[in-house]
Amino acid sequence: LKELENETSQLVNNINDIKNEKEKLMNDIVDMERQASLWEKKIQLDKETKEALDPTVGQQETKNMEKEIRRMNLRYDALKKEQERLINEMEKAIIKRSTISNRFVNAIVTSSSTIDVSKSTTNEDLTQAGIKKRIGLIKRDIRLINEDIISKDNGINNKNIIVSNISNEIDSLTNTYSESELETNNLQLNINNLL
């Protein structure tokens, strides 16, 4: 019995030693895991620092933005030229309309003065049929001139709409260009700060 007690006591001591050793090993494992996690964080931080200091990082985005800005500048210049061309066409149409209007007024003045002179000088040329014919010709000329004026007005209105659309597009492109330029400047500042 005494031997069994000694043996039991020894076994209990062995179990306690094993438990202590197990607890020590568990603590060591937790400590190793914590150190591994710290090393992973350090490695990640080191990698991010290298990327931040690397001048090639972000260059592709900057190049793409510069290409986009160049493309927008070309489009802006093309729209400006188109706007100038449309303005010139509108000015020509207005001048033409003014010329037609003046010609119409002159034709009316000339025809009315011719009729008055004819009445005073000879009654032979001013038959009722001749007067009706002349009035018909004048009415036809007036109708044609009015149609031409309406056509020119419609053309001017269409050109005004086109110019307005182009102006809106130019404004939109200008805003986009400004935003892109601002973004490019911010990226450049960030890159410079990281260097």
Side-chain angles (χ1 to χ4, degrees):
L1 189 67
K2 197 87 163 159
E3 279 179 30
L4 284 174
E5 276 182 17
N6 287 337
E7 225 176 281
T8 307
S9 173
Q10 196 174 3
L11 284 173
V12 168
N13 287 337
N14 284 345
I15 289 171
N16 286 337
D17 288 344
I18 290 171
K19 280 184 180 177
N20 288 337
E21 198 172 320
K22 181 183 173 187
E23 192 175 323
K24 186 180 175 187
L25 285 173
M26 289 298 287
N27 288 337
D28 286 346
I29 289 171
V30 169
D31 191 42
M32 293 284 189
E33 285 176 352
R34 191 169 56 245
Q35 284 184 5
S37 174
L38 287 172
W39 277 107
E40 283 176 7
K41 286 180 183 175
K42 284 182 182 178
I43 290 168
Q44 183 64 29
L45 186 63
D46 187 47
K47 185 179 176 185
E48 288 173 2
T49 306
K50 282 182 182 176
E51 284 178 359
L53 295 175
D54 188 0
T56 58
V57 173
Q59 271 189 346
Q60 186 61 38
E61 288 88 356
T62 305
K63 284 179 183 176
N64 289 342
M65 289 180 84
E66 285 172 355
K67 283 180 187 176
E68 186 67 18
I69 289 169
R70 259 190 307 251
R71 190 184 67 73
M72 280 194 260
N73 277 334
L74 292 174
R75 178 76 175 133
Y76 179 78
D77 291 341
L79 287 171
K80 276 284 193 191
K81 286 178 185 174
E82 179 69 12
Q83 185 180 28
E84 288 173 13
R85 186 185 67 76
L86 289 172
I87 289 170
N88 288 336
E89 281 184 20
M90 283 173 51
E91 287 173 353
K92 287 177 187 174
I94 290 169
I95 290 169
K96 187 173 182 182
R97 178 182 176 193
S98 172
T99 304
I100 290 169
S101 181
N102 288 340
R103 199 180 324 147
F104 171 70
V105 170
N106 289 339
I108 290 175
V109 170
T110 305
S111 65
S112 64
S113 65
T114 305
I115 290 171
D116 291 342
V117 170
S118 300
K119 279 184 181 176
S120 62
T121 54
T122 65
N123 285 331
E124 295 170 6
D125 293 336
L126 289 178
T127 63
Q128 196 169 4
I131 291 172
K132 283 184 180 177
K133 183 178 179 183
R134 187 174 258 312
I135 289 172
L137 290 172
I138 290 171
K139 283 182 179 178
R140 188 199 64 180
D141 288 345
I142 289 171
R143 184 176 48 77
L144 290 174
I145 289 169
N146 280 336
E147 287 174 1
D148 196 30
I149 288 170
I150 289 168
S151 169
K152 297 300 178 197
D153 278 342
N154 289 338
I156 288 170
N157 289 337
N158 290 339
K159 299 294 181 186
N160 279 334
I161 290 169
I162 291 170
V163 167
S164 175
N165 290 340
I166 288 173
S167 293
N168 290 339
E169 194 171 346
I170 287 172
D171 290 341
S172 173
L173 284 172
T174 303
N175 289 339
T176 307
Y177 173 75
S178 298
E179 289 170 5
S180 296
E181 202 167 27
L182 184 64
E183 195 174 337
T184 303
N185 290 340
N186 287 339
L187 280 173
Q188 193 63 47
L189 278 172
N190 288 341
I191 290 170
N192 290 343
N193 288 338
L194 291 172
L195 294 176

